[in-house]
Amino acid sequence: MRKNSLGNTHFLFKAFFSSESLPSPPKVLPPRSLLANLMRECSSTTRDLATARMIHSRIVSSGLDRDHHLGNQLVQMYLKCGSLADARRVLDTMPARGKLAWTAIISAYVHSGDFHQAIYLFRCLLLEGVIPDAVSFVAMLGALALDESQELATCVHGWIVESGLEQELIVANALMSMYSKRLDLRSCWKVFERMPERNVVSWTVMIAASARLGELAEAMRLFRSMQLEGVRPNEITFSSTLVLFSGSKDLRAAKLIHEQIVGSGFGAVTVVANACVGMLARCGDLAAAARVFQSMAERDEISWNVMINAAAEEGEAPRVASLFMEMMAEGRRPDRATFLSILSSMEKNLVDPPVPPFYQLVLNCIAESGYQSSLQVTNALVSFYGKCGDVEGARKVFGSISSPDVISCTALIAAFSQRAQFQDALVVFRRLLHSGVRANQVTFLELLSSCRSLSDGLWIHSQIVASGFQSEVDVAAALVEMYSGCGNLKQAKRAYNAVAVKNLVLCNVYIAANAQNGNSERALKLFWEMQQDGGFKPDGITLNAVLSACAHGGLVSQGCQYFAGMKCDYQLMCNSQHYSCLIDLLGRAGRLDIAEKVTTSMPFPPDQSVRMAFLGACRTHHDKERGSEAARRVLQLDPFDHSAYVALSHLHADQRLYMSRS
């Protein structure tokens, strides 16, 4: 039957468009019907734009271009052939435009992402007196989902209610979808509760809306209620729910939903199985995720990417490498997502040069596959080379980017800063500014991390103020730390005071800045204010700064009290850094006997930092005997610690100088 239909269609096309003289078409098939038939076949079979335009031309030459029904068909035909522009021209020239043509064009604009044009045409539809039907409203609601106008969305909802169409299932579902995408959970709930009947789409939209806005418990309750009402979840429902469980990181609930998916038969659906792998991995059970992955009958590129990304996030570098090799062996082509996950894993498992064979294989694959032209991949490559300490490699990749963005520049700045090449980092930053790209917070943080010049620091600070980041806590903390290193507490105070709502990190940095620059009384006052006015509970880093302030200020008694009260007053356990600060405090005061007792009575073996603090104190007070023993113990821990040899050499030299002067 279909063969005969296609044969007749070919005959009609040839008869209608050939310049040869052919017999007139049968009387049972008048020209109007013939044209309609040709358009129908062009829309469903050939979908050839050139043929569509020839049909349109013949309609015009036949004087039928004002025919309402043919006009609707022309619009549909052009849309099927992929030409929204031609369809729009037909709509604009139609003398009488009905709902069918309007709705088709509006839907096409929504699918193309041109929501403003879709909304404009809907307004035109209303102005022409055309009464929208359910399909028209569904198309319009798709456009309103991402439009900022709350007033228009409310008006359209009002028209739907007045038209009596809110109870229509497809309209109610479209309304919920619109409110969900507009993050209006309250309105979404109102529509859901008024629905006389709900299908799987209704429940899925409501579950997804709740999950999107962080209402995880409510989303889980809805999922259970849907099943109690006898509505069977579909693959889209399960996919949405799996994302929800991934966010909750509730492994027990994740395993229960996985069992339900397997029992329902959807475990064999690739898209659902992919979501299961991601959910189990994010909930902390990579082994269970791997079992689901291995049991999949059919795995696509997304399956491999999800599993590789899961292993990368867990820091399982060997598994990442193994999965990548298996993927290649199966004939699957890695894509951008694959390479981004693998580069992330490589960054987390850095090794000293030379680059391992697997890493080199990945880099070669990226170059051969053409993904080195992808900005995301090249940015990741710049970051990877920078973290490896290969500044030249990072610079080379950066140079291949035609239009670097803020992430590209920040990655290269980080590479230079990591190697203390501040001037090179500054050159990249200036290039970023001249290109018109706006720096972000991370850019400034990376730049400040290697800045040791007050003049350069002041200029960077001015750029931060111009960018509006001076009140960001992380940026302010970096500024305080930079000014502290430059010995300028006045500017450090300015950066600190620019933040209205401070956090513990910023307070710690500012206390440490005052301690390191000899302003011990101010540091201890800040410590008190932080607790009384800010309501912050000190952490281990805070007490390090406080002990350092006491050491620099010679406040031995106060420092010992703070150290003794760490567990009782602040519920903090002392670590090696705290003991190092205490020994430094005692050593500066010349209490080497007590400092030595501290090193022998610690609840855990002293590490390098503790031993070196005591060795430094011995050098300060020319105690050759204790210093030599301290150096011996340091070298027992690390025979290649050059600083211990240097300190011991200085100790002996100082001792000789001290004795000669005596």
Side-chain angles (χ1 to χ4, degrees):
M1 185 71 181
R2 183 68 181 160
K3 184 178 179 181
N4 292 336
S5 173
L6 286 172
N8 292 336
T9 302
H10 293 156
F11 170 77
L12 292 172
F13 281 151
K14 183 178 179 182
F16 214 77
F17 299 118
S18 174
S19 59
E20 298 174 0
S21 177
L22 292 171
S24 300
K27 290 184 178 180
V28 294
L29 197 62
R32 184 177 178 281
S33 301
L34 173 61
L35 291 164
N37 193 27
L38 287 168
M39 284 191 286
R40 194 177 304 111
E41 289 295 337
C42 185
S43 299
S44 61
T45 308
T46 64
R47 298 193 177 184
D48 179 61
L49 183 58
T51 302
R53 286 172 175 166
M54 291 173 71
I55 296 171
H56 187 186
S57 176
R58 185 54 62 94
I59 289 172
V60 173
S61 64
S62 301
L64 295 171
D65 52 315
R66 300 180 68 80
D67 185 285
H68 171 70
H69 296 291
L70 290 179
N72 285 337
Q73 275 193 276
L74 271 171
V75 170
Q76 296 281 359
M77 177 182 67
Y78 275 130
L79 292 176
K80 291 288 185 182
C81 292
S83 180
L84 178 54
D86 282 302
R88 176 63 184 274
R89 278 192 288 271
V90 173
L91 180 77
D92 290 341
T93 58
M94 287 174 68
R97 297 175 280 200
K99 282 181 284 195
L100 186 63
W102 282 111
T103 302
I105 292 286
I106 291 170
S107 298
Y109 275 115
V110 171
H111 287 305
S112 70
D114 193 343
F115 305 112
H116 295 298
Q117 195 62 222
I119 292 167
Y120 167 75
L121 287 175
F122 188 78
R123 292 177 189 272
C124 294
L125 176 151
L126 296 173
L127 290 172
E128 287 198 6
V130 178
I131 300 173
D133 59 9
V135 181
S136 305
F137 278 121
V138 168
M140 181 58 184
L141 291 169
L144 287 172
L146 298 175
D147 184 72
E148 296 179 359
S149 174
Q150 180 62 41
E151 184 181 356
L152 183 57
T154 305
C155 286
V156 171
H157 192 170
W159 293 331
I160 289 171
V161 173
E162 290 176 10
S163 304
L165 294 172
E166 192 186 33
Q167 304 300 306
E168 291 278 346
L169 189 57
I170 63 166
V171 177
N173 286 343
L175 273 168
M176 288 171 57
S177 179
M178 176 193 73
Y179 283 126
S180 170
K181 290 173 182 174
R182 295 175 69 89
L183 306 181
D184 187 350
L185 188 60
R186 184 179 177 186
S187 297
C188 195
W189 260 112
K190 285 181 179 179
V191 176
F192 182 75
E193 289 171 343
R194 287 198 294 262
M195 293 176 71
E197 62 170 321
R198 302 171 185 135
N199 63 5
V200 66
V201 176
S202 319
W203 286 99
T204 300
V205 171
M206 199 64 238
I207 290 168
S210 300
R212 186 180 289 118
L213 291 168
E215 299 286 344
L216 301 182
E218 186 59 39
M220 292 178 187
R221 187 191 67 78
L222 282 164
F223 182 71
R224 289 191 290 268
S225 299
M226 175 182 71
Q227 295 171 85
L228 291 172
E229 287 198 11
V231 179
R232 190 169 182 264
N234 61 17
E235 59 186 70
I236 300 173
T237 316
F238 278 125
S239 297
S240 301
T241 309
L242 290 170
V243 172
L244 151 69
F245 281 109
S246 298
S248 69
K249 298 190 182 299
D250 186 337
L251 182 58
R252 180 175 171 276
K255 288 187 173 181
L256 287 173
I257 188 67
H258 179 232
E259 289 174 9
Q260 189 170 353
I261 287 169
V262 173
S264 66
F266 281 104
V269 178
T270 303
V271 65
V272 177
N274 290 343
C276 280
V277 172
M279 172 192 68
L280 290 167
R282 289 189 188 96
C283 289
D285 196 339
L286 187 61
R291 286 194 295 272
V292 174
F293 175 77
Q294 294 296 340
S295 68
M296 291 173 66
E298 184 178 343
R299 294 180 291 211
D300 57 14
E301 278 76 8
I302 296 174
S303 313
W304 288 99
N305 287 344
V306 169
M307 193 63 228
I308 288 172
N309 185 61
E313 287 186 353
E314 289 296 316
E316 295 274 355
R319 190 189 291 266
V320 170
S322 175
L323 285 165
F324 181 72
M325 299 305 290
E326 286 179 44
M327 180 183 185
M328 299 282 282
E330 278 199 9
R332 297 287 182 181
R333 290 179 61 84
D335 60 12
R336 182 174 57 188
T338 318
F339 289 126
L340 289 174
S341 295
I342 293 174
L343 287 170
S344 171
S345 172
M346 288 161 61
E347 266 197 29
K348 293 175 184 175
N349 296 275
L350 298 174
V351 292
D352 294 328
V355 175
F358 172 69
Y359 285 20
Q360 192 59 58
L361 171 67
V362 172
L363 297 175
N364 291 341
C365 285
I366 291 172
E368 291 169 7
S369 64
Y371 280 105
Q372 204 160 4
S373 61
S374 164
L375 187 58
Q376 279 184 291
V377 175
T378 48
N379 287 347
L381 281 169
V382 173
S383 179
F384 166 71
Y385 281 119
K387 295 282 176 64
C388 288
D390 185 356
V391 177
E392 287 309 310
R395 194 201 300 264
K396 184 178 178 181
V397 175
F398 181 84
S400 71
I401 305 173
S402 56
S403 299
D405 63 1
V406 65
I407 298 173
S408 320
C409 296
T410 301
L412 188 58
I413 288 169
F416 285 129
S417 293
Q418 185 178 313
R419 305 287 293 181
Q421 295 177 223
F422 173 72
Q423 290 303 321
D424 290 320
L426 196 60
V427 168
V428 179
F429 180 71
R430 291 182 187 277
R431 174 180 171 179
L432 180 147
L433 293 181
H434 292 152
S435 67
V437 177
R438 187 172 182 268
N440 59 25
Q441 292 183 52
V442 181
T443 314
F444 286 115
L445 292 175
E446 295 292 354
L447 192 60
L448 287 168
S449 68
S450 62
C451 179
R452 300 292 180 268
S453 162
L454 180 59
S455 59
D456 288 328
L458 288 167
W459 181 79
I460 295 169
H461 194 169
S462 70
Q463 295 300 316
I464 289 171
V465 173
S467 300
F469 292 129
Q470 72 275 14
S471 59
E472 297 294 334
V473 178
D474 292 343
V475 175
L479 280 168
V480 169
E481 199 165 16
M482 182 271 296
Y483 282 128
S484 172
C486 296
N488 193 317
L489 283 180
K490 181 180 178 181
Q491 291 297 333
K493 181 179 180 181
R494 173 192 164 204
Y496 177 78
N497 289 336
V499 180
V501 181
K502 300 170 177 63
N503 66 3
L504 182 59
V505 173
L506 180 57
C507 292
N508 285 348
V509 170
Y510 192 44
I511 291 170
N514 280 274
Q516 290 163 9
N517 284 277
N519 200 348
S520 299
E521 290 185 9
R522 175 63 177 154
L524 296 179
K525 184 181 178 183
L526 286 166
F527 176 61
W528 183 84
E529 289 174 352
M530 178 189 85
Q531 299 170 79
Q532 300 301 315
D533 302 334
F536 295 115
K537 183 181 178 181
D539 62 5
I541 297 172
T542 318
L543 267 298
N544 273 338
V546 169
L547 292 172
S548 176
C550 293
H552 283 84
L555 307 173
V556 180
S557 177
Q558 276 184 271
C560 290
Q561 286 176 9
Y562 282 124
F563 183 87
M566 280 183 65
K567 187 173 182 179
C568 298
D569 298 338
Y570 305 110
Q571 294 76 52
L572 294 171
M573 297 300 293
C574 298
N575 59 30
S576 293
Q577 288 182 317
H578 298 123
Y579 276 100
S580 297
C581 287
L582 178 62
I583 288 168
D584 182 46
L585 169 73
L586 294 167
R588 285 172 184 263
R591 306 300 303 270
L592 295 182
D593 52 340
I594 300 176
E596 187 175 26
K597 287 180 182 178
V598 170
T599 62
T600 58
S601 62
M602 289 172 58
F604 48 84
D607 64 5
Q608 291 287 86
S609 64
V610 174
R611 295 292 186 192
M612 285 301 296
F614 185 62
L615 178 55
C618 292
R619 179 194 169 189
T620 300
H621 294 283
H622 314 291
D623 193 323
K624 181 180 176 182
E625 184 179 345
R626 285 193 176 101
S628 298
E629 177 62 18
R632 186 183 68 80
R633 291 184 179 275
V634 169
L635 294 171
Q636 277 183 339
L637 293 172
D638 183 4
F640 301 101
D641 189 334
H642 300 294
S643 59
Y645 289 107
V646 172
L648 188 59
S649 173
H650 287 166
L651 175 65
H652 285 287
D654 291 346
Q655 178 71 9
R656 286 194 297 270
L657 180 63
Y658 179 72
M659 293 298 293
S660 64
R661 285 177 177 175
S662 298

